[in-house]
Amino acid sequence: MRDYNVGAGILNIITESLYDNPIVVFREYVQNSIDSILKNEISREKCEIRIWLDNATLFFLDNGMGIEDTKFKDKMIDIGASSKKKQSNLGYKGIGRLSGVPYCNKLIFVNIIDYAKKIVQTYTIDSEKYEEIKDNESYAFLSFGELMDIIGRYGETAIIGSLDLFSEIQKYDNLLQVNNSGFLVVINGITTVLNNTINDDDFIQQLGWLLPVNFSDDLYESETRELFEEITAMDNSGVIPAQFCNIYYNEQKIYRPIRKEMLRDYVCKCDFKYAVGFHTFNGDRIAIDKNNGFSGIKIYIDNMLLCDEKELIQSLENYGLLGHTTNGQLQSVRGIAAMIYITDKVSISANARRTFIEVTDSNSIELLEMLAEFVNRIYDTRYALSNYVSAKRKQQVGEEKLEELRAKALVNLRNLAKENIELTIEDGDEENDFNNMSVTEKKRRIKKKISAQLDSKLKEYLKQLDTFELSDSYEKFVKWIGETK
């Protein structure tokens, strides 16, 4: 039975305060689809989420288990009515379905009960009518239930106005035959604000960072493929840190936007008791690389983006857990790249905005303290490396002081890596250090040295050019190197 004690203003709070960024609709509706898919233990590998835009209407379709038919209507008209369990689903508060209200003319939910027999249930929220009611004095006296009676409509047909939704659903006939069920969300008549978000040049990349998708194939072919396989596989406690789903936007499959060349010298696993992940950094300096789109710290829960380094550092600062300036910490963490996956959802929870962790218990505080220690460690490593490199290149100090700076840089570097790695800065003991390295380390050192020397030679070559031809430029450069030995 519906609770009429909640005021209609709750919808305004939800849609304008909790969901004030258009990209949120992709997070919320994909999240709900993932939860539905995870209920299905039979053909999970065949489950998919399809998102497409057609004639100013945005569609989200999954072939999960949908909603039990006897509970569908109540779930659509109640606020906070959710059977999701906090420990297994991120969207446990049951309000994410309303996130699309500010961004369309009509928000339509289609519960596909029996695809073969075309049995569906629908619920439509009239966003335009809602906007009209908000300007009426009587709005303040409405309960949420009364508001939904006015702006919402339940039905059992897939034809809504001029929309024949079953014809849209049948585009993915093979997909829906897998379980003979699914769920469709239709954001009809999207607003200019949402349309602009979708038309951003980096929109697909934003989806790649945001949604629970797989790594691209070339990461599984890299030297550290075992790490990525481990992160996307079930651990000893039955948890998959980065559980992913096949998600498509306009027929394009979405992947995490990380390529093999974005990885730095070292790729190391990190463990924060309640979370696991990896971080990658260079062994000679920690500095922002504007050409590398993979930088900073991204924290995920259910493999859905929770926050990035900006929100993380601000939260850590608010709790007095950082030892340096906010800007200095940001500059430091953006010199590396890290992805952290919260795995213990019984102890660690997320708030309705999905932007950071509720600090409600000792477990959450402990996780924040470990993350703060990690951020401080990055800062310390950055400056230890910087001080050593600067002193070495400028020959500002004596050998004893230089060795002291080198030792400090190495201690910080190994502390950041949590393993016995080496400085990649060339020094007088380069040959001895090289002989003690692993094969992988030797390859990295050789690659770095050759790259540096080639870069220097290339600059020298370009300076002496007086004629410019593109077709055989590489061959001429190689010939010039041979002639100038």
Side-chain angles (χ1 to χ4, degrees):
M1 187 172 180
R2 215 177 324 176
D3 183 359
Y4 281 85
N5 293 323
V6 179
I10 190 68
L11 181 55
N12 189 53
I13 293 172
I14 291 169
T15 57
E16 294 188 12
S17 299
L18 299 182
Y19 301 109
D20 54 1
N21 185 338
I23 200 74
V24 77
V25 301
F26 291 87
R27 180 186 66 199
E28 296 301 328
Y29 296 129
V30 165
Q31 175 184 291
N32 287 338
S33 289
I34 292 288
D35 291 339
S36 176
I37 286 171
L38 293 181
K39 295 176 188 175
N40 180 10
E41 300 293 338
I42 301 173
S43 304
R44 187 178 300 176
E45 70 281 357
K46 295 182 180 179
C47 290
E48 293 180 359
I49 299 171
R50 294 279 181 166
I51 309 168
W52 69 97
L53 179 68
D54 184 22
N55 196 25
T57 298
L58 190 60
F59 299 85
F60 293 80
L61 174 67
D62 70 68
N63 62 347
M65 299 303 292
I67 298 174
E68 190 176 333
D69 58 349
T70 58
K71 298 179 180 179
F72 174 73
K73 187 175 181 180
D74 286 341
K75 285 182 177 294
M76 293 298 104
I77 62 180
D78 284 348
I79 184 70
S82 177
S83 61
K84 298 179 185 179
K85 296 180 179 180
K86 196 174 196 177
Q87 62 266 35
S88 59
N89 305 112
L90 178 55
Y92 65 89
K93 291 183 173 66
I95 58 179
R97 73 179 188 280
L98 300 172
S99 60
V101 171
Y103 303 114
C104 64
N105 296 330
K106 283 185 175 62
L107 180 61
I108 307 167
F109 303 96
V110 183
N111 190 31
I112 307 168
I113 300 169
D114 188 319
Y115 173 69
K117 296 180 180 178
K118 297 187 177 182
I119 300 174
V120 300
Q121 293 170 300
T122 65
Y123 191 78
T124 303
I125 297 176
D126 191 328
S127 299
E128 291 181 309
K129 186 176 289 186
Y130 169 61
E131 290 298 323
E132 292 174 8
I133 293 173
K134 278 171 57 180
D135 296 331
N136 194 304
E137 291 181 3
S138 62
Y139 176 71
F141 302 98
L142 289 173
S143 71
F144 179 78
E146 290 168 336
L147 174 65
M148 297 308 289
D149 283 341
I150 298 170
I151 67 173
R153 178 176 294 180
Y154 172 80
E156 295 182 357
T157 174
I159 298 176
I160 298 175
S162 61
L163 288 172
D164 182 355
L165 297 178
F166 216 90
S167 67
E168 290 289 339
I169 294 171
Q170 287 177 314
K171 292 178 181 177
Y172 300 100
D173 180 75
N174 291 337
L175 184 68
L176 289 164
Q177 284 185 22
V178 172
N179 294 313
N180 198 38
S181 63
F183 202 87
L184 176 70
V185 177
V186 182
I187 305 179
N188 178 235
I190 64 172
T191 62
T192 302
V193 172
L194 180 54
N195 186 63
N196 289 342
T197 297
I198 293 172
N199 286 319
D200 279 350
D201 291 339
D202 63 346
F203 173 64
I204 296 297
Q205 182 172 297
Q206 288 183 57
L207 291 185
W209 287 123
L210 177 69
L211 303 180
V213 294
N214 195 8
F215 296 110
S216 58
D217 291 340
D218 67 344
L219 289 188
Y220 292 107
E221 297 167 0
S222 66
E223 293 177 356
T224 53
R225 74 178 189 278
E226 294 87 358
L227 176 59
F228 299 106
E229 290 170 351
E230 179 182 349
I231 288 173
T232 53
M234 188 175 292
D235 63 18
N236 294 331
S237 59
V239 173
I240 303 174
Q243 184 161 265
F244 60 85
C245 182
N246 294 319
I247 302 175
Y248 297 79
Y249 177 74
N250 283 351
E251 307 303 322
Q252 179 179 346
K253 192 171 184 179
I254 307 298
Y255 289 96
R256 195 69 76 214
I258 306 173
R259 300 184 303 277
K260 186 163 58 177
E261 61 265 27
M262 290 179 172
L263 301 177
R264 293 157 174 82
D265 291 343
Y266 301 105
V267 183
C268 307
K269 182 180 178 181
C270 49
D271 191 336
F272 299 99
K273 186 177 179 179
Y274 307 97
V276 299
F278 70 94
H279 54 288
T280 176
F281 56 93
N282 287 325
D284 58 349
R285 67 191 186 112
I286 292 177
I288 295 174
D289 181 357
K290 293 181 179 179
N291 296 318
N292 192 338
F294 182 31
S295 65
I297 300 174
K298 291 179 171 60
I299 299 182
Y300 290 79
I301 186 166
D302 288 337
N303 205 11
M304 189 81 69
L305 183 63
L306 182 65
C307 70
D308 63 14
E309 69 280 351
K310 187 176 180 180
E311 289 86 8
L312 170 65
I313 288 177
Q314 187 59 62
S315 295
L316 297 177
E317 184 74 27
N318 292 342
Y319 288 103
L321 296 174
L322 297 182
H324 309 286
T325 65
T326 301
N327 187 60
Q329 300 278 23
L330 276 171
Q331 294 296 313
S332 298
V333 300
R334 286 171 177 168
I336 73 157
M339 299 189 77
I340 299 169
Y341 304 90
I342 294 174
T343 54
D344 188 341
K345 291 174 288 183
V346 176
S347 301
I348 308 299
S349 59
N351 62 22
R353 288 179 65 91
R354 308 331 194 249
T355 54
F356 203 57
I357 302 157
E358 289 178 347
V359 182
T360 56
D361 50 43
S362 59
N363 296 310
S364 298
I365 285 290
E366 186 179 6
L367 174 59
L368 293 185
E369 288 173 342
M370 287 188 286
L371 291 173
E373 195 276 331
F374 178 55
V375 170
N376 286 323
R377 200 187 314 150
I378 297 167
Y379 182 97
D380 293 341
T381 305
R382 174 193 178 194
Y383 280 96
L385 284 169
S386 177
N387 290 337
Y388 171 62
V389 171
S390 178
K392 180 175 175 59
R393 289 176 179 170
K394 296 179 181 178
Q395 298 182 340
Q396 296 171 319
V397 298
E399 287 299 321
E400 185 176 341
K401 179 63 176 177
L402 187 63
E403 181 54 34
E404 180 184 325
L405 292 172
R406 181 185 184 279
K408 185 176 182 179
L410 188 54
V411 166
N412 278 275
L413 198 62
R414 289 176 174 174
N415 192 30
L416 179 60
K418 294 296 184 183
E419 60 181 83
N420 191 27
I421 64 174
E422 296 293 334
L423 279 167
T424 56
I425 305 161
E426 296 178 13
D427 56 34
D429 297 323
E430 179 182 13
E431 206 58 44
N432 290 332
D433 288 343
F434 183 80
N435 292 333
N436 293 324
M437 289 179 185
S438 66
V439 172
T440 299
E441 290 283 352
K442 287 178 179 178
K443 288 179 180 179
R444 285 176 178 151
R445 179 68 70 86
I446 291 171
K447 178 183 175 182
K448 193 173 185 68
K449 186 163 187 174
I450 292 174
S451 296
Q453 291 178 337
L454 274 176
D455 186 58
S456 177
K457 278 287 187 183
L458 182 58
K459 289 177 181 177
E460 185 182 343
Y461 172 70
L462 292 174
K463 281 183 181 179
Q464 57 87 44
L465 281 182
D466 51 12
T467 58
F468 301 90
E469 295 177 359
L470 184 62
S471 59
D472 58 349
S473 54
Y474 174 74
E475 290 78 9
K476 287 184 177 180
F477 171 59
V478 172
K479 183 180 179 181
W480 176 82
I481 289 177
E483 294 171 349
T484 54
K485 282 183 178 179

